[in-house]
Amino acid sequence: MRFFIVLLLTVALAASAVLGESTPQRPLSSKLKDDTIVIDRNVFNTADTPFRPHNGTKPFTNWVGLTLDYSYIQPVFNLIMSTESIANGTLRTRGEAHITVITPPEFDRVLRPAGVTINELDDLATAGPQRNRLQKAKFGMECLGRVQVVTKPKNVFQQALQIILKEYEDLVEYRWDVFNLFVQKGGNPALFDPENFSPHITLGYRHRDIFEGDGVFKRKNACIRNIVVE
Ligand SMILES: *[C@@H]1O[C@H](CO)[C@@H](O)[C@H](O)[C@H]1NC(C)=O
Ligand SMILES: *[C@@H]1O[C@H](CO)[C@@H](O)[C@H](O)[C@H]1NC(C)=O
């Protein structure tokens, strides 16, 4: 009897080992193929990641974003860091990844003064008939981008790398709904353009991230490598 139990356990263990082997976890890595960056297509399963609100009392703490699973972005960061012709070990990362959809200056300077609250923007992103619409938004990847500029007054060489996005109509539609709310509340339509928008996923930067306020545009102009998703 004891022999049979041992035998059964052995068979069960062997079976689970075989099953484990037949369903391997896809290794989370990114690679260069003919100088093109290859990213795991599961990066697009953002609906599986919870929406993360960003609210606070200080300037620059209120914004709206689509949160990504960093385990698909970290390999890209590691790849560009270890590639001499791209970042060569010079970048810092925040250790998370997101797509900013309403920026802190848009909220602080334009939306909030018209009486739009961050909770209203979060509700628009998560509630209503299009539940969880922001995390479910579709987007594509245009390229690996790099922006750099020397900032005054200390003449610091700044550099930031990011994934530049394409085909992000769902995000623009969200921004149109924000525009409609803003105008309903008496906001001046001249001050918020839903389509003046450069969505990207920041990978890393040298000293700090740099923005349009520093004079850089994170669009197709910034592309340095192709990206394919497999
Ligand atoms: C942020 O929003 C949450 C949920 O509405 C709220 O509980 C929290 O107090 C807010 N924090 C700040 C700093 O406004
Ligand atoms: C990359 O970094 C190494 C170590 O700091 C340095 O010796 C090398 O010159 C750098 N290469 C480029 C292309 O900047």
Side-chain angles (χ1 to χ4, degrees):
M1 184 65 193
R2 185 176 297 166
F3 170 76
F4 277 108
I5 289 173
V6 169
L7 184 67
L8 267 175
L9 278 174
T10 310
V11 168
L13 276 174
S16 69
V18 167
L19 281 175
E21 253 168 31
S22 67
T23 53
Q25 276 292 100
R26 275 234 271 161
L28 292 182
S29 68
S30 183
K31 58 190 172 186
L32 276 172
K33 203 162 78 182
D34 301 329
D35 235 20
T36 288
I37 290 174
V38 182
I39 302 185
D40 189 316
R41 70 167 42 262
N42 287 317
V43 69
F44 293 129
N45 296 342
T46 53
D48 300 341
T49 300
F51 175 79
R52 200 171 144 217
H54 307 277
N55 63 322
T57 48
K58 297 199 176 116
F60 280 88
T61 56
N62 293 281
W63 52 281
V64 181
L66 188 167
T67 302
L68 289 115
D69 181 342
Y70 191 60
S71 54
Y72 298 108
I73 299 299
Q74 187 167 30
V76 184
F77 176 77
N78 293 342
L79 175 70
I80 63 172
M81 280 289 269
S82 61
T83 304
E84 192 176 7
S85 62
I86 305 182
N88 198 24
T90 57
L91 302 182
R92 304 192 306 167
T93 169
R94 296 195 194 96
E96 54 82 27
H98 65 265
I99 303 165
T100 302
V101 181
I102 298 292
T103 68
E106 283 178 326
F107 185 76
D108 291 348
R109 293 183 199 151
V110 179
L111 301 172
R112 189 188 349 230
V116 177
T117 69
I118 195 70
N119 282 344
E120 286 172 319
L121 299 187
D122 290 348
D123 280 351
L124 261 186
T126 55
Q130 301 182 65
R131 230 182 118 264
N132 202 27
R133 70 187 278 190
L134 215 52
Q135 287 300 130
K136 285 196 293 201
K138 298 272 173 275
F139 58 91
M141 294 184 173
E142 176 73 46
C143 68
L144 172 71
R146 179 174 66 196
V147 291
Q148 43 198 35
V149 69
V150 176
T151 50
K152 302 283 177 197
K154 291 185 177 164
N155 292 327
V156 179
F157 176 72
Q158 308 275 4
Q159 185 183 62
L161 279 93
Q162 55 288 126
I163 296 169
I164 309 280
L165 302 184
K166 65 178 179 185
E167 293 156 9
Y168 43 78
E169 199 44 48
D170 292 351
L171 302 180
V172 174
E173 271 174 29
Y174 171 81
R175 286 175 57 87
W176 273 110
D177 286 350
V178 170
F179 173 83
N180 290 333
L181 176 67
F182 168 66
V183 172
Q184 247 173 47
K185 294 198 167 209
N188 173 358
L191 304 184
F192 183 84
D193 178 3
E195 305 199 3
N196 181 15
F197 178 45
S198 309
H200 59 271
I201 301 162
T202 297
L203 295 169
Y205 42 79
R206 284 207 188 203
H207 306 284
R208 60 168 175 85
D209 201 0
I210 44 179
F211 307 96
E212 286 192 20
D214 297 296
V216 298
F217 297 96
K218 296 169 182 171
R219 292 190 156 179
K220 270 193 192 174
N221 58 300
C223 289
I224 61 165
R225 291 286 191 285
N226 295 326
I227 286 181
V228 295
V229 178
E230 286 185 346

